[in-house]
Amino acid sequence: MRAGNSAKTVKEIRIDIEKCTGCRACEMACSAFHAKPRYSSVNPARSRIRVVTDEINDEYVPVRAGNHTRTECDGRHFYQLNGKQYGECSFCRAACPSRDFFIEPDSGLPLKCDMCEDEPPLAEPLCVTVCQPGCLTYEERRLEAEINEPEEREAMENGLQSLVNQHGIEAVIDNLKRLSKGQ
Amino acid sequence: MKYAETGFSLEIDLSLGRIEKVEADPRDTALYLGGQGIAAKILFERVPPEVDPFSPDNLLIFSAGLLVGTAAPSANRTVVNTLSPQTNLMSHSLFGGFFGPELKFAGYDRIIIRGKAPDLVYLYIHNDQVEIRDATHLRGKGTTETQDLVKQELKDQRVQVAAIGLAGENRVYMASIDHNHASASRGVGVIMGDKRLKAIAVRGTRDLNVARPAELFELAQALHKKIGEGDGNGDWMAVDEDDSFHHNHFAWGNARTRRKHFWSDELQQRWTKWKYDHMDRQTGCFNCAKKCRNVINWPGRPRFGYKCFGKDTYHMAAFLELDFTYEILGVAQEYGLDSYSTPQVIAFALELLEAGILTDKDFPEMPADSRGRFFYLLEKIVRREGIGDILADSVSHAAKRIGKGAEAFDHNTTKKFEQLPIKLGKLNPAYFLMIATGEKMSITQIEGSFPQDPLPTQEEREAFVSKWEAPPDEKFKKYFLDWKKRDDISDEATCEIVDWNEAMHYIDDSTGLCGFVSSFRGQFGGGVAYHMNNIPQMISHATGMEVDKDRLWKTFQRIRTLVRAVNVRRGLRRKDERPPEDHWAVRDERYEQELLSKYYAFKGWNSEGIPTRQTLEALDLGYAADDLERRAILTAAAGGVAGEPAATAK
């Protein structure tokens, strides 16, 4: 057992929505980068970044594809920011059933941003590189995190013990085996 | 697999309600690229000259240029072509934004619309799903209002919509077609309205493929960066608050009055404050690094966007200031009115009133002040009420209908089309040729590659030329180095310069490149991103065709000559090729006609400005020569100057 400090790199894309011109060069570049062969086609519907645009309300918000969710939200929030109203969806990164963002148009499978970490990885995501108005910027931050293994392990053991108490050791082992095959 | 183009056209017959997806002929791409090039071919083949622009047989063609939707930066222009009731010639218009790329992603290079719907409809395109839908509930709705309502109705914010406003519905000749805050002017909205087509909504989720992905992307990214970082591209008027150039040099009112000392520091500060106090942001078009459009939110008016000289036209016609333009422009854009020609029509009417040709009876209950009068006439025109019904037919036609000497006040049109309000002193030979022979109806659609004025010193000229990548041939550098006085330049050089200027527009309008990164912008500073020396490479990488400079130049000549064939078939002749008589104060008719003859010969046209058979055949347009001879247009013209089109750029 070991306790100590460890560092991880956090990749951040900062989005200054005041600087977005709505040009969607990010969508163009993302879809081209992920095309097979690379750059062989453009199709914003395949892009993992979309600019939520509503010219009439002067709304321009780039969002990067996050996790997939099977369900829609149960009611929406609306945000009033500097006198303008934004729907919650404008900032939401989910590929979800309520819109066709981040859904691969042929297969219907969800898309997720990979920060252009394909082999070889780019120095920064391509959407940032092509963003001439400077709306998107990229930062890597080293995060010093204290890792306390014994505590984590203790927590897991407690959890497992309670499952064993509830279902018996055989059922827990069966489930763990099945789960590990599914990985 | 198709590259850069989708290979399909969408054919819509609004009379029959028929929708067809038609495979395009790949030979047309090789010969005419796309955009205006292929549209000219379609109009030549399918709309004979007997067809009245208001006939159901007239076609309205929306094309996405050949490079639109690829990684090529700033290639996003939609080209609209039809036959115009104002000029009775081919109408050519363009708009930026996102419509063209979306059309490509939906799987089409163009939409060809014929016929007329029984009542207002809109077209909905979602990949292979294409519907003609009822639009009677959109009657009278504004251009951005319509776009918003259509998006709501289709429950899709990513649909790209092009719509007409009340002006188009009422067949006002100055009607535009609007998409976002971009606008297709110069007489296309009237035909969309005549066809009872309120809007086109398009949504596409298909791949657009290119032939040489890595090469294209590398070139595209280098140009994208160049466009974004330098000041050689884009509309500098979006950021430069000193607009003394237009205000001190262009004519105010009905293209009548120059105010050489209008601009001042105090005024600039005041106007700059108006702008920044009300500007929401500057926006750009698809895949372009520039932000040429100022989006203004003026109290009590619809939010609107403008670029370039569009911010000056209303207040200069009305002898007012920028706040007036900000007040009226949103209203006019919702109506779908061209901001270049409409203010001139209004100023023309007010001059007729002042001259007593029209009287107070023609303007019942019109306010006394200029501001009020412009709003009053805007309403009359867009609704075709009273005098507005006559004015809605544009200056030239209105002057004829009004009579009583009104024709003399129609002093700023060429080919019956309102020109920019410029009145100068001494004749400028290149500008004489461009205004006389341009078939895109505005000087902005032909000028642009060679600088407007010489630089004062040899050092400055040499410095300019040393960084000048754009010229298709070294001779243009020599012309510039030797050029000291504006009108002191050989006729030969003038012809070559005008030809190069024109070439770039024909290439842009077939590929979908924006003039602000190509054809229009090189004249200011020379550091334009796209030019004859790199566009061939971009087209080759995108399409897989082997295009070099010579081939591209010949393609320009082919398209340009075909447009001329469309128009001479509809009656265009030498007599029509005259800049407004007062465009320059000092004129020399003999010299001008000599220069025009030289230019016709240089282009391979006869003395009437009709392309000769030899010219047409050299450009693979033998079918046009046959047609012109069948109609006795070629043989009928006297004194034909035989010859091939001018030598291609090296």
Side-chain angles (χ1 to χ4, degrees):
Chain A
M1 279 203 256
R2 185 176 59 84
N5 288 337
S6 167
K8 62 176 178 178
T9 302
V10 180
K11 298 181 167 186
E12 291 178 346
I13 292 182
R14 305 209 162 199
I15 301 170
D16 181 348
I17 60 173
E18 293 301 317
K19 287 186 178 162
C20 182
T21 65
C23 74
R24 296 167 58 199
C26 51
E27 296 183 11
M28 184 289 295
C30 178
S31 71
F33 181 77
H34 290 96
K36 302 255 180 318
R38 188 166 285 179
Y39 307 126
S40 60
S41 64
V42 171
N43 180 359
R46 290 187 201 280
S47 174
R48 295 131 195 246
I49 183 165
R50 302 304 301 262
V51 185
V52 179
T53 307
D54 181 352
E55 295 86 5
I56 295 203
N57 296 315
D58 186 47
E59 180 179 342
Y60 299 85
V61 187
V63 258
R64 221 158 38 78
N67 287 325
H68 170 236
T69 171
R70 288 168 191 278
T71 50
E72 292 188 48
C73 295
D74 54 350
R76 309 266 161 80
H77 294 171
F78 286 90
Y79 296 94
Q80 195 79 17
L81 292 176
N82 294 330
K84 276 188 289 186
Q85 187 170 274
Y86 295 83
E88 187 175 5
C89 298
S90 298
F91 302 105
C92 180
R93 297 178 53 206
C96 92
S98 68
R99 62 179 180 187
D100 64 353
F101 276 23
F102 309 141
I103 304 287
E104 218 279 328
D106 297 331
S107 64
L109 292 171
L111 295 162
K112 190 174 177 183
C113 169
D114 59 2
M115 300 291 260
C116 296
E117 281 176 344
D118 272 21
E119 284 301 314
L122 300 183
E124 63 179 10
L126 197 57
C127 57
V128 175
T129 311
V130 302
C131 184
Q132 290 280 346
C135 167
L136 305 177
T137 46
Y138 180 69
E139 263 181 42
E140 281 183 6
R141 215 154 40 87
R142 279 181 74 78
L143 196 68
E144 299 292 332
E146 194 176 283
I147 292 174
N148 197 333
E149 283 193 54
E151 259 184 32
E152 278 188 12
R153 188 151 165 179
E154 210 173 296
M156 197 187 288
E157 273 179 15
N158 288 342
L160 283 170
Q161 188 61 53
S162 74
L163 285 172
V164 169
N165 294 345
Q166 202 177 338
H167 303 288
I169 187 83
E170 294 292 320
V172 172
I173 289 171
D174 279 357
N175 270 292
L176 282 173
K177 275 183 184 163
R178 206 172 63 241
L179 276 175
S180 65
K181 274 178 197 158
Q183 289 297 305
Chain B
M1 189 188 278
K2 293 283 182 185
Y3 297 117
E5 59 175 351
T6 68
F8 290 95
S9 300
L10 192 58
E11 296 263 3
I12 307 290
D13 189 320
L14 291 171
S15 296
L16 303 172
R18 197 171 61 196
I19 297 164
E20 252 183 306
K21 181 177 180 173
V22 179
E23 203 166 345
D25 185 344
R27 284 172 300 183
D28 285 347
T29 312
L31 289 171
Y32 309 97
L33 300 174
Q36 189 203 9
I38 292 180
K41 166 108 184 311
I42 293 168
L43 286 172
F44 190 88
E45 282 185 341
R46 290 172 47 183
V47 191
E50 308 79 62
V51 172
D52 185 86
F54 285 133
S55 155
D57 291 332
N58 187 9
L59 300 178
L60 176 67
I61 306 171
F62 286 75
S63 321
L66 181 60
L67 292 172
V68 169
T70 70
S74 316
N76 51 48
R77 306 285 278 174
T78 307
V79 192
V80 189
N81 296 108
T82 186
L83 296 166
S84 155
Q86 183 172 348
T87 61
N88 197 35
L89 303 172
M90 182 168 159
S91 222
H92 172 74
S93 191
L94 304 153
F95 63 94
F98 304 85
F99 187 93
E102 200 72 27
L103 185 64
K104 286 278 195 83
F105 301 136
Y108 309 97
D109 299 319
R110 67 192 60 79
I111 312 166
I112 306 165
I113 299 151
R114 81 162 292 284
K116 289 187 199 195
D119 204 341
L120 272 190
V121 292
Y122 78 90
L123 186 63
Y124 174 45
I125 304 164
H126 187 179
N127 298 334
D128 280 341
Q129 177 198 352
V130 183
E131 297 168 11
I132 300 169
R133 299 173 71 132
D134 175 61
T136 50
H137 58 300
L138 299 171
R139 195 186 313 280
K141 301 289 183 201
T143 52
T144 60
E145 194 183 11
T146 299
Q147 295 176 54
D148 202 34
L149 289 168
V150 167
K151 285 177 184 177
Q152 284 177 31
E153 186 170 309
L154 297 170
K155 296 188 175 59
D156 189 350
Q157 196 62 30
R158 302 200 72 98
V159 161
Q160 301 297 337
V161 188
I164 53 168
L166 193 56
E169 285 180 39
N170 287 338
R171 299 180 184 89
V172 173
Y173 286 11
M174 297 83 80
S176 55
I177 299 170
D178 291 66
H179 157 67
N180 293 356
H181 293 128
S183 189
S185 58
R186 295 189 301 282
V188 284
V190 54
I191 296 301
M192 190 155 162
D194 185 55
K195 297 197 171 301
R196 317 314 291 148
L197 181 62
K198 178 70 178 170
I200 304 176
V202 60
R203 174 84 159 91
T205 61
R206 300 263 171 84
D207 296 345
L208 184 69
N209 300 299
V210 291
R212 298 174 202 151
E215 294 93 326
L216 177 77
F217 206 81
E218 194 187 340
L219 179 60
Q221 284 311 298
L223 288 185
H224 187 70
K225 202 161 183 276
K226 179 173 180 170
I227 290 166
E229 289 174 355
D231 58 4
N233 294 276
D235 179 10
W236 71 95
M237 279 182 72
V239 285
D240 184 2
E241 307 310 333
D242 177 359
D243 194 8
S244 53
F245 174 74
H246 291 109
H247 291 87
N248 289 353
H249 299 290
F250 281 30
W252 296 59
N254 181 29
R256 195 66 78 181
T257 313
R258 280 183 71 181
R259 302 165 87 182
K260 288 183 185 176
H261 306 291
F262 175 79
W263 199 260
S264 69
D265 288 345
E266 180 276 323
L267 179 121
Q268 184 168 324
Q269 280 172 22
R270 192 151 40 83
W271 287 22
T272 305
K273 189 167 162 30
W274 278 334
K275 174 180 164 185
Y276 286 99
D277 282 354
H278 297 97
M279 188 170 79
D280 279 334
R281 84 177 56 228
Q282 290 172 323
T283 60
C285 298
F286 182 76
N287 192 26
C288 180
K290 286 297 186 201
K291 37 183 184 178
C292 300
R293 200 168 295 110
N294 294 318
V295 180
I296 301 289
N297 193 5
W298 195 256
R301 300 292 180 192
R303 184 183 265 116
F304 66 94
Y306 68 84
K307 64 177 167 56
C308 201
F309 184 54
K311 84 159 196 282
D312 299 336
T313 53
Y314 277 100
H315 68 251
M316 287 183 70
F319 292 98
L320 291 167
E321 292 199 17
L322 180 66
D323 60 330
F324 173 62
T325 294
Y326 280 175
E327 202 185 334
I328 200 170
L329 200 50
V331 179
Q333 285 188 2
E334 280 302 302
Y335 283 147
L337 282 166
D338 173 11
S339 65
Y340 279 52
S341 53
T342 309
Q344 286 195 41
V345 175
I346 296 175
F348 161 75
L350 293 174
E351 243 190 19
L352 293 185
L353 175 64
E354 211 174 295
I357 292 172
L358 292 175
T359 67
D360 289 339
K361 281 186 199 148
D362 296 306
F363 304 90
E365 294 170 54
M366 182 167 75
D369 63 310
S370 181
R371 185 178 295 256
R373 288 176 162 196
F374 264 68
F375 272 108
Y376 171 93
L377 281 171
L378 197 74
E379 294 292 330
K380 293 288 173 202
I381 287 169
V382 82
R383 295 175 201 285
R384 280 190 174 274
E385 279 172 9
I387 191 71
D389 185 41
I390 294 172
L391 297 173
D393 285 354
S394 79
V395 168
S396 259
H397 292 272
K400 277 198 189 64
R401 280 178 69 183
I402 294 166
K404 295 181 277 184
E407 287 95 332
F409 292 79
D410 165 21
H411 71 118
N412 196 45
T413 58
T414 288
K415 295 169 187 158
K416 301 196 181 76
F417 202 90
E418 292 79 10
Q419 302 299 303
L420 282 182
I422 306 170
K423 302 295 165 194
L424 303 166
K426 205 168 172 186
L427 182 95
N428 179 328
Y431 275 75
F432 167 79
L433 285 182
M434 288 191 284
I435 299 169
T437 65
E439 276 159 87
K440 300 188 177 185
M441 300 311 156
S442 171
I443 187 65
T444 59
Q445 305 301 311
I446 177 167
E447 68 177 352
S449 289
F450 198 84
Q452 292 188 2
D453 285 304
L455 287 171
T457 67
Q458 190 64 22
E459 291 72 45
E460 284 170 278
R461 292 193 286 274
E462 274 167 18
F464 184 94
V465 163
S466 70
K467 319 178 282 199
W468 203 16
E469 294 172 7
D473 190 286
E474 288 298 308
K475 66 190 166 199
F476 293 104
K477 294 183 180 173
K478 189 174 180 307
Y479 295 151
F480 190 73
L481 284 172
D482 295 344
W483 190 30
K484 297 178 183 75
K485 270 175 66 190
R486 186 190 268 178
D487 57 340
D488 187 13
I489 191 161
S490 75
D491 292 349
E492 186 200 356
T494 300
C495 290
E496 300 264 16
I497 287 165
V498 170
D499 200 42
W500 173 30
N501 283 348
E502 181 160 65
M504 296 311 299
H505 283 276
Y506 276 81
I507 291 163
D508 282 357
D509 300 347
S510 298
T511 53
L513 293 174
C514 173
F516 272 116
V517 296
S518 183
S519 55
F520 180 73
R521 190 59 167 84
Q523 64 183 328
F524 306 109
V528 76
Y530 283 102
H531 42 71
M532 265 334 264
N533 300 308
N534 62 12
I535 297 174
Q537 206 178 10
M538 193 68 98
I539 296 174
S540 300
H541 290 336
T543 62
M545 299 191 296
E546 294 305 327
V547 178
D548 60 14
K549 192 162 49 173
D550 281 348
R551 179 172 163 184
L552 187 59
W553 196 271
K554 193 172 177 184
T555 306
F556 140 65
Q557 292 179 311
R558 181 179 301 120
I559 301 168
R560 202 272 167 268
T561 307
L562 185 56
V563 168
R564 171 122 314 213
V566 169
N567 286 334
V568 296
R569 211 168 61 160
R570 297 188 71 84
L572 176 72
R573 293 293 182 273
R574 183 181 187 119
K575 64 175 169 36
D576 305 307
E577 307 224 283
R578 298 185 71 87
E581 299 303 325
D582 58 358
H583 190 92
W584 295 281
V586 184
R587 299 290 286 265
D588 180 346
E589 178 73 12
R590 211 179 117 193
Y591 169 69
E592 289 171 19
Q593 291 306 318
E594 267 175 34
L595 184 62
L596 187 61
S597 294
K598 280 183 190 169
Y599 188 61
Y600 280 173
F602 173 87
K603 287 280 207 186
W605 304 342
N606 70 20
S607 61
E608 277 296 319
I610 300 167
T612 64
R613 169 168 279 281
Q614 200 179 351
T615 298
L616 290 161
E617 281 181 351
L619 296 170
D620 314 289
L621 299 172
Y623 63 90
D626 294 344
D627 188 274
L628 294 181
E629 278 179 7
R630 204 162 43 239
R631 294 174 191 278
I633 291 168
L634 255 180
T635 47
V641 179
E644 284 186 54
T648 55
K650 298 287 171 338

